[in-house]
Amino acid sequence: MAETKYIFVTGGVSSSLGKGIIAASLAKLLQARGYKTTIQKLDPYINVDPGTLNPYEHGECYVTEDGAETDLDLGHYERFLNVNTSQANNVTTGRIYQSVIEKERRGEFLGKTVQVIPHITNEIKERIQLLGKNHDYDIVITEIGGTVGDIESLPYIESVRQLKWELGDDNALIIHLTLVPYLAAAGELKTKPTQHSVKTLMESGLRADVLVCRTEHELSDDIRRKLALFCNVKLEAVIQSIDASTIYDVPNMMLEEGLDTVTLKKLNLPNDTAPDLTQWNEFLKRHKNPKHEVKIGLVGKYVELQDSYKSILEAFIHAGAANEVKVNIESIHSEFITDSTIKNKVAHLDGILVAPGFGERGIEGKIDAVRFARENDLPFLGICLGMQMAVIEFARNVLQLKNANSTEMDLTTPHPVIDLMEEQKEITHLGGTMRLGSWECKIEDNSIAKEVYGTNQIFERHRHRYEYNNQYASQLESQGLRSTGINPKTGLVEIVEIPEHPWFVGVQYHPEYKSTVANPHPLFKAFIKAAKEYSQKKKGASLAR
Ligand code: GLN
């Protein structure tokens, strides 16, 4: 097998330029040409992983099959490539230091002074090459978080410098993503910030091979020539990345700009076969030409920040395309839902999704939203905390168990219908200690779940500490809340549903993490289908009136 090639993506001028989407789009194009490609994200912060971060900090925490809590960019990688990522695909400064310090404590450095160079940089280089060595990928794309010039990303930039020197120019490539701002007063695009950011990169010994320029306006030939000349790259290596209406357009835009061709040429890899994007473009066609429209309420407490529920929003896009339905999401802040506001906020919707979450804030609003959906035959999907709220709502309002709750919210509740998992009771550390990653679930026959999945055995990803309390199972079941998915080893309830209701499903796991463009998640597909049917019925009823 040929040697693995490494592509590094750095960012300049500003954060939030979309390095993750550019990396994922390039990976898609390379994959579509037949190259086995994976992507890795290096994050310069000191948290060991983003699991302990509030979603307001960096958006959603994504979870992989192997139970790694990771940056949300890994979600984009999986959604674009339809290939699983793992713990090795996301490395933080915290994890690097933790590992070097543990080695030092074991005495592995044989009395040497442990320093950023070479010890930290060696650890970084090892982590970068791990994916190439262990999984025989043709190409590994490594995205360096942050912006060049940041103090905290310096060790990463230095590691890339060393690696590029060690691997040689044919085997390693630097793509620098930058911003070309438009000054309305001057009516001009400005290249100076890019020149400065390339210069900053050079101060650390790195030369950009390819420039991807984020811009709101087309780059003229003049601007491209100027960028090439002053930034020391070939003209064909100046790639425009203009604002897109959907992130799923970016691979085609990069194809048009020749990002994949210039990359392959530089890496000395054959570029004669055109990428096969048939399936991708089929998805785009359905996404852009919907035949119906539905309104879904996303009830959560982090709704101010789009990135908090990234995977859910993307799963809706995949499921919408599969159903040829445009899914309009209305974000509803659960803290502002009360008995008197609920009707106004949700009565016009075609479906309600109650989102995952932690802690007490906003849960009463979530419970009100579940109740409205249950009592009004509105399609309902509850995910993780959303499923737990559905159980609490049912216990309070159908079983009449006053003050039923989860012990996460109320330790002294008389009816702990959701309770801490047994194995969690001794745990004191918060980082990486939840029930994480992929677990098996057995599905009961004659259920919505069985119809949705078409099988009795599924594996889904998890991230929780609390669970359905089986002591209440017979009461809940006898009154109409069926448990239709159960972990065969522990008996933990994974799926609840109401057979009396047109479509009411709560899941303890996170289906959103496994939805990809190539494989929209069956639960989201079925939920959107139910919402579509609900909206058509509503329309029919209002016409008949
Ligand atoms: N806070 C709940 C638990 O820990 C739900 C977690 C979630 O929604 N991801 O069980």
Side-chain angles (χ1 to χ4, degrees):
M1 219 228 65
E3 241 180 289
T4 302
K5 308 268 184 176
Y6 292 87
I7 298 173
F8 299 97
V9 182
T10 59
V13 181
S14 161
S15 57
S16 305
L17 292 181
K19 281 197 296 280
I21 301 296
I22 292 296
S25 299
L26 174 60
K28 183 77 225 166
L29 294 178
L30 297 173
Q31 183 195 51
R33 283 178 184 265
Y35 290 102
K36 246 187 116 192
T37 310
T38 189
I39 320 184
Q40 177 187 48
K41 171 101 192 261
L42 304 181
D43 274 311
Y45 51 72
I46 296 177
N47 303 64
V48 171
D49 62 43
T52 51
L53 290 171
N54 183 315
Y56 290 128
E57 295 285 315
H58 294 275
E60 151 193 295
C61 172
Y62 187 74
V63 178
T64 59
E65 282 294 287
D66 66 348
E69 295 175 284
T70 75
D71 184 80
L72 60 75
D73 273 346
L74 271 76
H76 291 309
Y77 307 162
E78 290 203 7
R79 288 187 282 272
F80 275 53
L81 298 180
N82 198 35
V83 170
N84 286 337
T85 55
S86 69
Q87 182 71 69
N89 294 73
N90 191 193
V91 177
T92 69
T93 294
R95 192 172 292 280
I96 296 282
Y97 271 82
Q98 186 186 44
S99 151
V100 170
I101 290 169
E102 276 167 11
K103 283 182 187 165
E104 186 275 333
R105 290 290 81 184
R106 289 198 297 270
E108 284 181 28
F109 297 117
L110 305 174
K112 285 278 183 212
T113 308
V114 181
Q115 296 183 293
V116 173
I117 303 172
H119 301 98
I120 295 295
T121 49
N122 281 349
E123 184 76 26
I124 295 172
K125 287 194 289 180
E126 228 169 79
R127 302 268 176 160
I128 292 172
Q129 289 177 290
L130 198 66
L131 285 164
K133 276 183 192 138
N134 289 353
H135 302 270
D136 59 33
Y137 286 107
D138 303 321
I139 300 171
V140 176
I141 302 180
T142 299
E143 176 194 343
I144 319 263
T147 309
V148 292
D150 294 348
I151 291 177
E152 53 183 21
S153 54
L154 276 176
Y156 292 105
I157 300 289
E158 168 59 14
S159 306
V160 173
R161 186 196 67 74
Q162 293 179 18
L163 257 185
K164 192 162 190 216
W165 181 79
E166 286 164 17
L167 296 166
D169 276 349
D170 278 1
N171 296 320
L173 173 95
I174 317 282
I175 297 178
H176 189 57
L177 179 63
T178 157
L179 177 69
V180 179
Y182 180 75
L183 280 197
E188 270 183 313
L189 287 169
K190 291 295 185 189
T191 64
K192 194 74 80 185
T194 300
Q195 296 179 40
H196 280 293
S197 122
V198 167
K199 190 173 145 199
T200 308
L201 204 54
M202 285 181 87
E203 280 165 8
S204 305
L206 271 193
R207 201 169 64 79
D209 296 298
V210 177
L211 282 185
V212 176
C213 306
R214 278 303 304 276
T215 173
E216 290 171 21
H217 297 270
E218 297 274 337
L219 300 183
S220 65
D221 288 348
D222 270 358
I223 294 272
R224 286 178 192 252
R225 269 195 294 273
K226 195 168 167 186
L227 282 164
L229 180 67
F230 291 134
C231 300
N232 215 6
V233 298
K234 291 223 171 87
L235 190 56
E236 61 174 13
V238 177
I239 304 290
Q240 160 184 294
S241 168
I242 202 156
D243 291 355
S245 61
T246 156
I247 54 169
Y248 298 107
D249 273 339
V250 180
N252 279 310
M253 289 162 63
M254 291 302 107
L255 177 67
E256 227 164 84
E257 284 287 307
L259 176 62
D260 55 333
T261 320
V262 79
T263 298
L264 290 170
K265 263 199 218 164
K266 288 234 169 242
L267 291 174
N268 225 347
L269 287 169
N271 64 67
D272 28 16
T273 51
D276 178 4
L277 292 171
T278 320
Q279 203 190 10
W280 186 269
N281 289 333
E282 190 52 41
F283 154 79
L284 273 178
K285 203 166 94 196
R286 279 198 305 272
H287 172 51
K288 291 183 175 180
N289 299 291
K291 300 203 171 87
H292 312 271
E293 233 172 279
V294 295
K295 276 196 211 91
I296 303 289
L298 169 59
V299 180
K301 67 171 171 178
Y302 307 113
V303 289
E304 305 90 325
L305 186 75
Q306 281 273 316
D307 278 357
S308 309
Y309 301 115
K310 195 79 209 161
S311 294
I312 292 177
L313 297 176
E314 299 305 322
F316 274 131
I317 291 178
H318 309 152
N323 282 289
E324 299 184 293
V325 169
K326 180 171 190 315
V327 182
N328 299 302
I329 301 292
E330 278 188 29
S331 297
I332 303 172
H333 203 304
S334 55
E335 259 186 301
F336 306 133
I337 296 180
T338 59
D339 261 1
S340 55
T341 60
I342 181 74
K343 201 158 175 235
N344 257 342
K345 287 187 188 281
V346 304
H348 61 289
L349 299 170
D350 306 312
I352 291 183
L353 184 145
V354 175
F358 295 84
E360 203 190 346
R361 186 166 67 91
I363 72 141
E364 293 303 325
K366 288 187 171 178
I367 294 172
D368 288 343
V370 178
R371 180 174 195 169
F372 190 94
R374 183 179 59 76
E375 291 181 345
N376 293 281
D377 282 354
L378 195 57
F380 169 83
L381 178 58
I383 298 184
C384 206
L385 185 69
M387 172 266 200
Q388 298 176 352
M389 293 303 116
V391 175
I392 294 170
E393 190 280 321
F394 201 89
R396 285 187 190 176
N397 300 319
V398 180
L399 270 49
Q400 300 297 328
L401 300 177
K402 211 166 159 252
N403 295 326
N405 214 331
S406 160
T407 48
E408 178 181 4
M409 325 300 167
D410 178 4
L411 265 179
T412 60
T413 168
H415 301 291
V417 290
I418 303 293
D419 201 4
L420 194 60
M421 282 180 279
E422 201 48 46
E423 69 264 29
Q424 289 284 330
K425 293 193 172 149
E426 302 300 310
I427 290 174
T428 51
H429 275 40
L430 288 188
T433 54
M434 279 187 249
R435 178 169 179 256
L436 288 165
S438 180
W439 295 91
E440 185 184 352
C441 166
K442 279 263 180 288
I443 291 181
E444 300 271 314
D445 283 331
N446 303 317
S447 61
I448 300 181
K450 174 72 192 291
E451 202 184 304
V452 164
Y453 285 96
T455 167
N456 291 103
Q457 186 198 38
I458 56 164
F459 291 84
E460 290 279 6
R461 299 185 196 172
H462 297 74
R463 183 168 186 255
H464 66 122
R465 288 185 208 285
Y466 292 82
E467 65 176 334
Y468 175 111
N469 183 344
N470 274 315
Q471 283 177 4
Y472 290 87
S474 59
Q475 279 186 76
L476 290 162
E477 293 259 358
S478 67
Q479 296 293 311
L481 185 69
R482 235 185 116 194
S483 313
T484 56
I486 292 183
N487 178 300
K489 293 203 180 73
T490 62
L492 185 147
V493 172
E494 295 276 12
I495 308 175
V496 294
E497 53 186 82
I498 300 179
E500 295 288 289
H501 188 284
W503 209 93
F504 187 104
V505 179
V507 291
Q508 184 57 73
Y509 51 83
H510 292 261
E512 71 274 23
Y513 294 143
K514 280 177 81 164
S515 187
T516 69
V517 166
N519 263 324
H521 196 284
L523 256 183
F524 276 85
K525 271 201 304 198
F527 177 50
I528 292 304
K529 184 163 168 270
K532 182 178 105 184
E533 284 163 9
Y534 178 89
S535 104
Q536 284 171 334
K537 219 161 121 192
K538 203 166 61 178
K539 266 191 215 134
S542 74
L543 284 177
R545 231 180 274 138

